[in-house]
Amino acid sequence: MNRFKASKFRHTEARPPRREAWIGGIRAGSITSYGNNVKASCCWIAFNAEASGVLGIVPLECEDGGKRTVSQLCCHSDVVTDFDFSPFDQLLLATGSADETVKVWRLPQSSQDIPSGAGLTLGPGGAPVDMLQFHPTADGILASGTGKRVTIWDMEQQQPLTVLDSHRDQLQSLAWKRDGSLLGTSCKDKKLRIFDPRVSPAASQSVLGHENNKDSRLLWMGSSDCLISIGFSQMREREVKLWDMRRFSGAMLSMALDTSPGAAIPLYDADTGLLVVAGKGENLLYCFEVAPAQPALTQVTQCRTEGSTRGLATVPRLALDVMACEVLRVLQLTDTALVPVSYVVPRKSVQDFHEDLFPDCTGTLPATGAQAWWAGDSQQVGRVSLHPARRPTETFTSPVIACTWLQAANTSPTIDAGPTNTNTDTNTDQSGGSGYSSPSSLASPGSATTSLSASTGPSSGFASSPSQKSLQSILGPSSRFRHAQGRVLHRDTHFTNLRGLSLTTPGECDGFCANHQFVALPLLSAGGQIAILELSKPGRLPDAAIPTIQNSVAVTDLFWDPFDPQRLAVAGEDAKIRLWRIPEGGLQETLQEPEAVLQGHTEKIYSIRFHPVASDLLVSSSYDMTVRIWELSTGREALCLQGHTDQIFSLAWSPDGKKLATVSKDGRLRLYEPRRSPLPQQEGPGPEGARGARLVWVCGGDYLLVSGFDSRSERRILLYQAQALPKGPLSVLGLDVAPSTLLPFYDEDTSVVFLTGKGDTRVFLYEVTPEPPYFLECNSFTSGEPHKGFIFLPKTVCEVREVEFARALRLGQSTLEPVAFHVPRIKKEYFQDDIYPPTRVWWEPALSGTAWLSGEDGQQRRSSLQPTDMTPVSQAPKEAPARKFVPAAVYLEKSDEQKKEELLSAMVARLGNREDPLPQDSFEGVDEDEWD
């Protein structure tokens, strides 16, 4: 509200109707949820009914002055927690439930034909769905809040575009900005967060909202950078706060409402600036005018109703009675009725349309589609006039459910439906945004779907279209592996019934280790026992005890020799390293005597690593602040590196084996050339947090990637130039907030780094490049339960015929499961030589440890993974891909009857010939005497 100019809404009146105008004959539910319990479109009103899993459906306007018929929509098997109408298709309704699913329904034009089945179902998502909201500019996008995460769904593809899981506690509300670019959330951890889903799944901004963790709500003020939050203060007062995301460190304005205990339901109209607030279980409606420029929050009116509020919703502006100067209409849900409360600005003349009260509002035709928005399209929805003579006549029918039916029928023509003009018989093609690849994406847990090749270069057999190239020039580079998918392999490959696992290994240890033959698992039993499993013999382990290694002391770290697959190095709490040899065929009896014991450290050992190029060399770090290099052929300590002042978190050899890098608790990175000096050659600043860190060499050994924490315990990854550590990191990327240290694994052939922590359910994938933006996000892998360890196997175990570029072992509570990461490709009959360059022969040393210590260097040879019966895809014929879809122009020329006939024929063909014999008809019986 302008300080020097009176507001045109200052005299707004709330006019509750007489009982005759109430929508009666209903029985509202009294569930506890974060939803508003009632929503309205231009055609329908939906509300929580008394029966579990049921919504009441009633027309918004009664026809011919008659009574409204209240129908029931049986949605879910459990309580309906929230629901929302599409802002474009007035008949499209999404519902979420405690049964963990989201369902999308197409309501009819009349209440006599309420659907009995959902058009599509999303989920289950592993937790009850708490809140839903459609995207304000793009058709087919739905945000759902589930527990601690928000999932952004592409409903047409029935797949999540991304998952926002930076929340530490239960979500309480979510809200899209009206321009569709950002998403805001409030959470039980008292934080307000702002997300840019197309950029990162992590929150771009966060701030402490309300000091009490009771129910809070967050709303965007239209397309502006301002927000409204409502919650409870430390003194349990309900309060309203105004925020500006450009200065998000504190609220612009805070105002206490009252001391009522009920959760507040706020409704904001961006075109008038009016905010209506009501408390659940109360009968008072507040109305404020919000002016963020001052800032100011001015109460306009109060309205006391007869019934207690169960829910609250606004009616779309296109359904308002503008000739009666109705600027806002609120639907109050009570126990037995829906009460429409009109907010009217008194004017002398009610025969004229008042342009100042009714500016053009947002229309009902979407600006873009789901894939186009995800690819970067930020077009805005067109605005339309509320003048009765200039009201738009076109309506929009979303293709979401129609496309689902077409996919189920496996029909060849696929049409992107657009706005449907009520005066014509043709559809407008809006397929311009389809086919774009996302800047970042996330596969659903357990997803086995495939997509087009992740590479659009010549090696994949297809060339990029001009629109794709121009899009890439706008959005920047994208990874070839952005569509990579991880999947748990068949249960026949699992190890089950694992008992007595040690889940308390130090943070510097990966938890277990594996090579292409064996897996070593520390056990919880006394004496530092280690179980050895053969990868070639999966299955259920016997209940009886199995042969183990008796290490005699608790295990702190363990590692397989890359050049001798039967030798295992084990570090213990007694500051000794024991070398064990596994016999051919695995352990047949308990091993009690090691092959050798290395002594020299004076304190417990942190971690051990074999040299990547030279044989018989091992490096170890210890609590005595030293790093020692051991020559295993002689069993002696060859070198001792100094210079650390605090605990050493991690160490890593460079790929050529010439240098050694460490990161420690004192917040420093150190780079050694062990054969030249026992002191570090370089030092640089490391991660700020002191909770743990890991490092790995990337990009051919020219860069170092470090995972750690910042001062606020947010997990992040940092990229350093190896020759310029004092300059600090080139790039820093925040990921999420979690207690465990991220364990990085780097695939040198693809330049993809995998990051996950003990106790996590998600594995992050990024392609690392030496040029900005340095980190190119790829699809993450998500498992259903936390893993206790996640170890990657050598590249040679990957199935190249399935375009598998990495394989890992996931350790659960009592299982060990292989996880394969592959890239969806169309021409899988060809060897994908763009993904499989000649790989390093890691199992053959380039030189001996003695030669390396004397100053020699070596380089391992490389070998192709190409099977002899496969042709490289780079040599495949470059024929143009066959047209998969009928051009829209051809389809648009057909009449409605022809389209219906084609769809029906395709569905019948899909069902098959019912006259065909059944398989059991050909089965042979048995003789009668065989039954005895």
Side-chain angles (χ1 to χ4, degrees), residues 69 92 109 194 217 234 261 298 321 363 401 448 475 529 556 635 653 685 722-723 796 805 812 833 882 899 932:
T69 301
L92 201 66
Q109 296 289 347
I194 305 298
R217 301 295 178 92
Q234 192 172 13
T298 306
D321 186 0
I401 293 180
L475 297 178
Q529 296 186 42
T556 57
W653 288 104
Q723 297 302 320
T796 49
F805 69 98
D833 51 350
K899 297 174 189 177
D932 299 330

Side-chain angles (χ1 to χ4, degrees), residues 669 683-686 704 718-722 724-732:
L669 283 176
E683 285 192 32
L704 277 166
L718 307 91
L719 187 67
Y720 295 82
Q721 192 169 4
L725 291 185
K727 295 182 180 179
L730 294 172
S731 179
V732 179

Side-chain angles (χ1 to χ4, degrees), residues 784-815:
E785 62 177 13
H787 40 252
K788 312 305 178 184
F790 208 89
I791 294 295
F792 282 82
L793 296 173
K795 193 64 169 275
T796 49
V797 305
C798 294
E799 179 55 65
V800 297
R801 298 180 188 274
E802 296 299 324
V803 201
E804 179 186 337
F805 69 98
R807 182 175 294 188
L809 294 176
R810 177 185 173 276
L811 180 63
Q813 193 72 31
S814 61
T815 60

Side-chain angles (χ1 to χ4, degrees), residues 331-347:
L331 296 173
Q332 181 201 27
L333 176 66
T334 67
D335 290 332
T336 58
L338 279 164
V339 182
V341 180
S342 293
Y343 287 83
V344 177
V345 177
R347 289 289 172 94

Side-chain angles (χ1 to χ4, degrees), residues 633-652:
S633 58
T634 61
R636 69 180 181 92
E637 176 189 316
L639 298 169
C640 181
L641 308 181
Q642 309 285 341
H644 295 93
T645 61
D646 208 336
Q647 177 182 350
I648 304 169
F649 283 142
S650 178
L651 52 80

